[in-house]
Amino acid sequence: MADGTASLSLGGNAHDFPVRSGSVGPDVIDIRKLYAQTGAFTYDPGFTSTAACESAITYIDGDAGILLHRGYPIDQLAEKSTFMEVSYLLLNGELPTGEELAKFTYTISRHTMLHEQLATFLRGFRRDAHPMAVMCGIVGALSAFYHDSTDITDPKQRMIASHRLIAKMPTIAAMAYKYTIGQPFMYPQNNLTYTGNFLRMTFGVPAEPYEVNPVVEQAMRTIFILHADHEQNASTSTVRLAGSSGANPFACIAAGIACLWGPAHGGANEAALNMLREIGRPERIPEFIARAKDKDDPFRLMGFGHRVYKNYDPRAKVMQKIAEQVLKELGVNDPVFDVARELEHIALNDEYFIEKKLYPNVDFYSGVVLSAIGFPTSMFTALFALARTVGWVAQWNEMISDPEQKIGRPRQLYTGANQRDYVAVGER
Ligand code: SDX
């Protein structure tokens, strides 16, 4: 429903385009007819001013530092909800009743096992393979094992594939970790919670029972909630673009994992902890702040800055609190946490960061917590992918059911050679 028009004058001609308003947030100028009417494209590398779709799942107000999932603020969900409940909310749009939640949790728990042949497939990797390489490979390979949930035109098959992906990511991530340390894979125990099951598959061994630490379980559950979805970020847009061609859901999520791996995106949690370790002690912070400000130095403060948040990332606030709780509970005194807090304090009082509105993002403190729990830095992005799978799946389902969706096919500003004739090699 157009709520007004935007006029564009190009080459002496005026062109009107409908303006649409969402339930909250910036209006959009519907330029779908721009090329047909004007013969010109818009130009927006990085899509800084482009809405690629309509969505009702997640809303971010970057200036106010607000993040809502189906209208519910992230700090309330982090404090009061569970990852299964947030998963149901993202997929279905409403918080579940007790009965709906029990049924959903039961369904997910019945899909936690992997086809045994995939364990053989996983053993084909080198032991030092990065867990994200394993996640990309195994998740992509799921389409070779679960043919009965790859027909994207069948809503039932889409839902089974969605449940399988959410349920199997913890199993795959735990197996990727076990494989690097040469320990046997642990099978899921469905009497445990989603998060407890993951902790046992990761840190448990067949030789003895594994007691889930409730403080660690709650911290992991909250970390999964904080990472569940985040509007049209790079990896979600990758999943949507892959899905727009009709690719099967396993292939689409594998594409999302590949995109998340980059250090500018989900790989920042691994890069941020490596950076904090390299800084080592508060006295070295000024040297790194100077490098981050130096135009000729490609170094950036990892875990800082965000395309949308020009205020504090609300997830980073919760993550800092979790870091304090977990380090205290586990009696871990990691100097890296002190470096992180001092670095935050210095950066937030530095003209450069204030002027460019650079604040800590979700990746700044997550590594401190995950390291204290016992994960190697190489697992950090795999954990991000585990949690983000429900967001990717919810966005993928929304895209498939959107009557306006069509295959994504951007155009370009061509700056290459004009047409010219071939010249034989002897005449060049
Ligand atoms: C995630 O999109 C999402 O929602 C992502 C995410 C999600 O949940 O899906 O939130 C998860 O990816 C969080 C971001 C994790 N990445 C990092 O922490 C890596 C470090 N941050 C930067 O690379 C950067 O801030 C980005 C990539 C996150 C955002 O980059 P933008 O929006 O493209 O901004 P930009 O690169 O144009 O930066 C604006 C200015 C630049 O200076 P000028 O060229 O204008 O002079 O700020 C500077 C940048 O040089 N800048 C930084 C900086 N980030 C931006 N300077 C120093 N350190 C930094 N971290």
Side-chain angles (χ1 to χ4, degrees), residues 22-38:
S23 34
V24 65
D27 289 346
V28 297
I29 302 169
D30 185 339
I31 53 157
R32 282 176 287 185
K33 295 200 171 60
L34 175 91
Y35 178 56
Q37 286 179 2
T38 69

Side-chain angles (χ1 to χ4, degrees), residues 310-370:
K310 301 308 170 193
N311 195 324
Y312 212 102
D313 182 335
R315 302 168 296 175
K317 281 201 182 94
V318 180
M319 194 64 82
Q320 189 189 44
K321 260 193 246 148
I322 296 173
E324 273 156 14
Q325 286 162 1
V326 169
L327 268 69
K328 185 159 160 270
E329 163 69 16
L330 299 179
V332 171
N333 181 12
D334 189 344
V336 148
F337 189 41
D338 300 331
V339 171
R341 277 190 297 202
E342 182 58 17
L343 174 57
E344 176 190 348
H345 175 72
I346 294 174
L348 295 191
N349 290 287
D350 181 291
E351 215 19 66
Y352 173 91
F353 293 90
I354 294 167
E355 184 244 324
K356 292 189 187 300
K357 299 183 179 172
L358 301 173
Y359 291 86
N361 58 51
V362 67
D363 295 312
F364 187 61
Y365 285 106
S366 53
V368 175
V369 192
L370 297 174

Side-chain angles (χ1 to χ4, degrees), residues 52-74:
C53 64
E54 187 175 318
S55 179
I57 298 174
T58 291
Y59 174 70
I60 303 172
D61 179 334
D63 294 330
I66 289 171
L67 168 56
L68 308 177
H69 289 317
R70 301 285 190 179
Y72 296 98
I74 188 65

Side-chain angles (χ1 to χ4, degrees), residues 48 60 226-227 229-236 260 262-269 271-272 289 291-293 295 299-310 313 315 352-353 356-358 361-364 384 388:
T48 50
I60 303 172
L226 294 178
H227 288 82
D229 191 54
H230 211 242
E231 202 217 61
Q232 304 311 319
N233 58 85
S235 53
T236 298
L260 185 77
H265 189 13
N269 54 18
I289 295 266
R291 281 185 58 196
K293 290 156 66 172
K295 280 254 141 291
F299 172 79
R300 287 195 164 179
L301 275 189
M302 300 318 279
F304 255 79
H306 198 278
R307 171 61 58 75
V308 177
Y309 289 122
K310 301 308 170 193
D313 182 335
R315 302 168 296 175
Y352 173 91
F353 293 90
K356 292 189 187 300
K357 299 183 179 172
L358 301 173
N361 58 51
V362 67
D363 295 312
F364 187 61
F384 194 148
R388 183 54 57 89

